Amino acid sequence: MTGEMVPAGPVFEGELVDDQTDATQPPHVHRVAGWWQRSRFVPAALKSRQALGYAAKDGLVWLARSPFRLVRATFRGLVVAVRGWRRWVRVQDYREAAEQSEKLADKFAEIRGLTLFPWKVTGAVAAVFLVSLAILDLVYGHRVLWIAGVVSVALAILGRQKDGNPGRKAALAGPRSLAWTMDPQILVDAFRDAKLIGKDESLRLVERAKHQGGGWAVTVDLPATRKAADVVKHREDLASALAVDEIQLSVERVRGNGGHAGRVAMWVADEDPYAKPPIRTPLLAVERWDAWRPVPFGADARGRRITLPLVWTSLLIGALPRQGKTMAERLAAAGLILDPYVRLYVADFKNGKDWKAAEKVAHRFMAGDDAEHVLAFLDWLVELIADVQNRYRRMQDLDDVTCPESKVTPDMSRDRSLGMPITALIVDEVHIALEDRTPVEVQGKKLTAGEYIGELLTWLAKKAPAAGIILVLATQRPDSKTIPTKLRAVLGSRFALRVMDFRDSNIILGEQMNTRGYDSSRLLPSHRGVGILRPDGETQVGADVLALTVRTYYMPNEDWRAICERGRALREAEGTLSGHAAGQDVPPMLDRTAAVQAIGTGTVASLAEVELPDPLASVVDYLGDDLNERDFVPTAELVEALEVEATAFGVDMGELGCRPTRQYVPTDEGTRRVRGYLTADLRAAVERIAADDEIGTSSEADGTRQ
């Protein structure tokens, strides 16, 4: 440090040796060990202790089962022998040939004569056998039993053939069971029956089947070029091959360092995992919660706790009525209520008692479904947009230690001087607000309240999460008429409980999710609170999981009230109780001009009011919601549905800016390349015509004013 020269000690060179036995064992031992591991003549079971242990277990199981297998094989061999003898006695080949030539009646005498000889031979052989058996018994005593043993072994060898082999006809079998837990060959047969692997292909066992969490778990590698995604997609076919209900079968692709595109982890429940009584939420046992931690949301089929991250994202919940939609939304809100630093906006458009207890903790609270409630909710959104813009402006003046990025941090959310608490907007039955037709005027343009609210929510879902705003929306079927497509596209986390069909499931979870094996319409009506979760973040089953089936925790009204009372007590202790809960029903701080500039509301236009030219208008009417849900529509489908001439239809669509293309689509005969239109091009044409119509209207208005 002072710049003086200090003598140093000697410096040695070397390398790190992992194997500590190198210095103690002679070289020839290592050569023998290396040959032992690489040699193809040494069985795999003798190359490691673990493999030897597995082989010993398999040997014990084989010995324990061998007597029963011998008896079954002997019986099957006896059946095969009797069947063969019967075909020979009945001259079956000759009889079938006569039937095919439709001359069975003419050949009756010949058949009778031919069958007489086999019966004579059978009688003679039976007599000789019985006489020989009696003589051997008199001469050699009971040693004749050894002869019976030899015969039984021969029959067992004959009977080891499987159903379907030559000489045996397939017959109705008994009930199937999860015998693959003891015999991996049955698992291989199930994959073959489901057409997930070829007849000449097999599976490679990665982890042996073991009983885990009320079911059997096994991990396998598929043959080369076979993909785990296809197994997930055809989970129902595999469940049928395994003779279980698909709700009992969990199939996941193993990802990360320990997995690859062809590795599959399977788990099969012993019984319906969702037939058990529901589990109470674990939040009842905690005094407070940190909103930055994922909220306990439910459990999967294996009983693993599934948590839901909420900060920096948003949540959409959709389902049929009375399927547990509000319960799921309250579970997400419960973790936020138990954090005294979270500010809550709660809007209950159902106007029931489900959210009544939240009045004790909510900064703003509203329950009702009238026009006045919708307009009040609109004011909330304008206030939140102004708050988000102010937060981003203040972040620019903060140092990099306090605000490393343009995102709210845990310390920032708890610093009252900054005024950036985590704020949750919780809306139940949001479609009521989005479908409201109350007219409002924005910058001189008349819109419906629902359209304006849709634009405000879309802006918040896009830009507000980084500023600490959380959106939790619950609704029934969220199609393009109730929730705008732009809004659904930016809602990060999705939870779909039971719906009517796969289209409704795709609307909630995302396009083509049913083709990936995730379809909430297949859930049973008795499975209340069970849905498919598509998280925006890491869960207990990994960050790379696309979606998973979850049963939400149970939170009755008494538990909900207890959590809300605990949340109020925490806020009173921290001094963060405000707004409606504190008895301060002050009107929102509105900055409508800033909100209009932020979302660009001047460009809002209802496509229903735009007059589209034919044939584009007919195409839009025919597709309806599918215009936003499908990627591609074949020309043949449109020509048949609209009953138009194909050539003229193509020319007219080309003049409107819609050019056809070719894509591969699945059909009954397989995948074919067909001609058609991208729905993105159709939507672009509609928006272009709407914009031209709006410009023309504005020009006419300017000419009139002049």
Side-chain angles (χ1 to χ4, degrees), residues 1-25:
M1 298 298 292
T2 60
E4 297 179 358
M5 299 296 293
V6 179
V11 178
F12 301 97
E13 293 185 357
E15 61 176 310
L16 180 64
V17 179
D18 294 331
D19 192 355
Q20 300 296 331
T21 62
D22 287 348
T24 59
Q25 294 184 357

Side-chain angles (χ1 to χ4, degrees), residues 209-428:
K210 55 184 177 180
H211 202 266
Q212 186 181 78
W216 287 93
V218 64
T219 303
V220 297
D221 276 349
L222 300 175
T225 73
R226 299 286 182 173
K227 296 178 291 185
D230 295 333
V231 181
V232 177
K233 177 180 178 180
H234 297 283
R235 181 173 62 94
E236 184 178 0
D237 297 337
L238 183 58
S240 175
L242 290 172
V244 297
D245 191 275
E246 60 267 25
I247 203 69
Q248 296 177 239
L249 176 62
S250 173
V251 182
E252 300 172 359
R253 173 186 167 184
V254 182
R255 310 195 67 165
N257 294 331
H260 54 80
R263 181 161 292 181
V264 179
M266 298 174 51
W267 182 83
V268 185
D270 297 332
E271 56 186 9
D272 187 349
Y274 304 117
K276 303 175 183 177
I279 304 174
R280 303 286 277 267
T281 173
L283 289 176
L284 290 172
V286 300
E287 291 297 327
R288 62 189 298 164
W289 193 260
D290 185 355
W292 291 85
R293 294 174 56 192
V295 177
F297 190 66
D300 64 0
R302 303 173 66 169
R304 297 175 295 185
R305 177 186 292 188
I306 302 300
T307 58
L308 181 65
L310 293 176
V311 178
W312 292 345
T313 185
S314 50
L315 173 63
L316 172 65
I317 302 173
L320 289 171
R322 296 176 300 280
Q323 291 299 317
K325 182 171 65 268
T326 301
M327 181 79 68
E329 191 176 20
R330 292 200 309 193
L331 285 167
L336 303 175
I337 289 174
L338 292 179
D339 188 337
Y341 295 98
V342 174
R343 181 182 296 170
L344 298 170
Y345 285 62
V346 180
D348 178 17
F349 287 107
K350 185 189 296 184
N351 195 20
K353 62 180 295 185
D354 296 325
W355 295 93
K356 189 69 174 175
E359 282 190 284
K360 301 177 181 179
V361 293
H363 177 74
R364 295 202 181 279
F365 181 85
M366 177 182 60
D369 55 0
D370 297 329
E372 59 182 283
H373 298 99
V374 174
L375 296 177
F377 178 67
L378 192 153
D379 291 342
W380 289 9
L381 301 180
V382 173
E383 179 186 37
L384 286 173
I385 289 178
D387 184 23
V388 170
Q389 291 179 312
N390 289 332
R391 293 188 184 197
Y392 282 126
R393 282 194 292 266
R394 279 177 282 159
M395 287 182 193
Q396 297 176 0
D397 300 329
L398 298 177
D399 57 79
D400 292 341
V401 176
T402 304
C403 182
E405 301 176 1
S406 295
K407 293 181 179 180
V408 172
T409 64
D411 293 335
M412 292 171 61
S413 67
R414 298 185 180 96
D415 190 344
R416 298 186 192 176
S417 63
L418 296 178
M420 300 184 189
I422 295 297
T423 302
L425 176 62
I426 302 169
V427 188
D428 197 5

Side-chain angles (χ1 to χ4, degrees), residues 133 136-137 140-153:
L133 189 64
L136 290 173
D137 183 63
Y140 298 102
H142 295 294
R143 294 180 183 179
V144 73
L145 295 177
W146 290 100
I147 300 175
V150 173
V151 173
S152 65
V153 170

Side-chain angles (χ1 to χ4, degrees), residues 507-670:
I507 286 173
I508 303 169
L509 296 176
E511 190 172 348
Q512 302 298 321
M513 284 295 288
N514 68 306
T515 62
R516 303 182 188 182
Y518 303 103
D519 184 2
S520 62
S521 66
R522 296 184 178 276
L523 298 173
L524 299 179
S526 59
H527 292 161
R528 297 288 182 88
V530 179
I532 299 176
L533 175 65
R534 187 177 183 181
D536 182 15
E538 185 173 358
T539 62
Q540 267 60 25
V541 295
D544 299 321
V545 173
L546 177 62
L548 64 158
T549 303
V550 178
R551 184 179 191 178
T552 59
Y553 289 123
Y554 181 59
M555 184 190 294
N557 282 332
E558 56 268 22
D559 295 348
W560 169 246
R561 286 193 296 268
I563 287 177
C564 291
E565 291 172 357
R566 192 179 306 163
R568 180 181 179 88
L570 291 171
R571 284 165 173 76
E572 290 176 345
E574 296 290 344
T576 56
L577 197 66
S578 62
H580 182 86
Q584 304 168 358
D585 287 325
V586 295
M589 301 295 294
L590 303 179
D591 189 351
R592 299 190 184 277
T593 302
V596 170
Q597 293 175 351
I599 66 174
T601 311
T603 63
V604 174
S606 175
L607 296 181
E609 300 174 358
V610 179
E611 184 176 355
L612 299 175
D614 281 328
L616 185 58
S618 301
V619 172
V620 172
D621 291 340
Y622 166 70
L623 292 177
D625 294 341
D626 289 341
L627 183 63
N628 297 305
E629 301 302 327
R630 296 174 62 177
D631 291 331
F632 179 80
V633 54
T635 302
E637 178 185 344
L638 295 175
V639 170
E640 181 181 358
L642 302 179
E643 298 180 354
V644 295
E645 200 274 324
T647 304
F649 176 77
V651 172
D652 294 339
M653 292 293 287
E655 293 177 353
L656 295 174
C658 300
R659 303 294 179 183
T661 184
R662 291 183 180 273
Q663 283 199 359
Y664 288 97
V665 298
T667 63
D668 296 338
E669 294 80 15

Side-chain angles (χ1 to χ4, degrees), residues 95-107:
R95 187 185 297 270
E96 291 176 355
E99 289 178 353
Q100 293 177 1
S101 62
E102 298 181 355
K103 295 181 179 180
L104 183 61
D106 298 339
K107 301 291 184 178

